[in-house]
Amino acid sequence: MFAVPELKILLSHEQIAKRVAEMGAEISRDFAGQPIILLGVLKGAAIFLSDLARQVQLDLNFDFIGVSSYGTSLGPDAQLKKNAGWDSTGEVHLTKDVDQSLAGKNVILVEDILDTGLTLNYLRRRLLAHGPKTLRIAALLDKPSRRKHALEADYLGFSIPDEFVVGYGLDYAERYRNLPDICVLPSTPC
Ligand code: IMP
Ligand code: MG
């Protein structure tokens, strides 16, 4: 058992499961009779995607895309600076591209959290160049108060306050992704 510091649960695994099931039902209704591709953003969206995919009653396949942004590539200090709003010059780089053509497909980009909007704005522009039939965004979490790039999720799990959260795929310096609940990390992490 690894030691977990005092983490306050913001969203329990029961709340998450209920909301993810609702999102899956909504996607199933919107794309009834059509195949879709869920495209997860590594690594944070991996757990959300695996639960969401099982709640969608459609002909579905999934793929992953990898990005590194200012913050995650520079370690925990930079990640906290990023969260504190120091990332206005942020850049996004692709670390893994999709493995298939998205031309003419119904694509849903699946992301753990929509923060400033930098990452999804970059990915949306890049993926639109493939010529998909539709491109939608499913985000588990949204911190609307932090937005710098105008962008909204088409399918949203929860809107949350401006706090740093971990668990259910979300990390701090690569830790805590395996927590079943989404928790607020205290400002001085252990
Ligand atoms: P954006 O590009 O500023 O929208 O940031 C999106 C990315 O920042 C997410 O995919 C996460 O990797 C990371 N991120 C933003 N807020 C948090 C948080 O509270 N906890 C963990 N990661 C976060
Ligand atoms: Mg992420």
Side-chain angles (χ1 to χ4, degrees):
M1 189 68 186
F2 82 116
V4 178
E6 283 297 303
L7 295 174
K8 189 175 108 251
I9 294 179
L10 181 68
L11 297 163
S12 69
H13 57 278
E14 291 95 347
Q15 285 173 285
I16 298 167
K18 181 169 177 287
R19 186 69 194 115
V20 171
E22 290 167 357
M23 294 173 82
E26 206 181 329
I27 291 169
S28 305
R29 273 197 304 276
D30 288 356
F31 289 93
Q34 302 179 60
I36 66 165
I37 298 174
L38 295 184
L39 183 56
V41 185
L42 292 171
K43 302 173 196 169
I47 290 177
F48 173 41
L49 186 146
S50 71
D51 283 347
L52 182 66
R54 286 174 286 178
Q55 298 296 333
V56 174
Q57 314 289 317
L58 296 173
D59 178 3
L60 172 155
N61 73 65
F62 57 74
D63 197 353
F64 289 95
I65 196 162
V67 289
S68 81
S69 57
Y70 178 86
T72 48
S73 59
L74 296 181
D77 285 352
Q79 195 169 344
L80 275 186
K81 284 178 190 169
K82 173 184 158 111
N83 195 47
W86 294 20
D87 58 335
S88 52
T89 59
E91 278 179 47
V92 184
H93 301 279
L94 210 66
T95 57
K96 184 208 167 292
D97 208 344
V98 289
D99 296 332
Q100 57 188 294
S101 167
L102 303 176
K105 307 276 178 65
N106 293 309
V107 180
I108 302 182
L109 247 179
V110 179
E111 176 62 307
D112 52 3
I113 184 164
L114 181 50
D115 187 26
T116 65
L118 177 74
T119 308
L120 284 176
N121 200 43
Y122 166 86
L123 287 176
R124 187 175 59 175
R125 271 191 280 126
R126 194 179 167 99
L127 295 172
L128 281 174
H130 285 242
K133 181 178 176 196
T134 56
L135 180 62
R136 302 231 176 128
I137 292 174
L140 180 66
L141 304 175
D142 184 12
K143 288 185 199 168
S145 64
R146 298 250 312 147
R147 195 79 82 257
K148 289 182 186 150
H149 304 264
L151 191 96
E152 296 307 321
D154 301 288
Y155 304 99
L156 175 65
F158 303 91
S159 204
I160 63 167
D162 182 11
E163 302 209 68
F164 200 83
V165 291
V166 294
Y168 196 72
L170 290 134
D171 74 309
Y172 172 73
E174 296 298 327
R175 294 180 66 197
Y176 309 117
R177 292 194 197 274
N178 59 326
L179 299 178
D181 308 303
I182 291 175
C183 302
V184 175
L185 195 70
S187 47
T188 318
C190 304

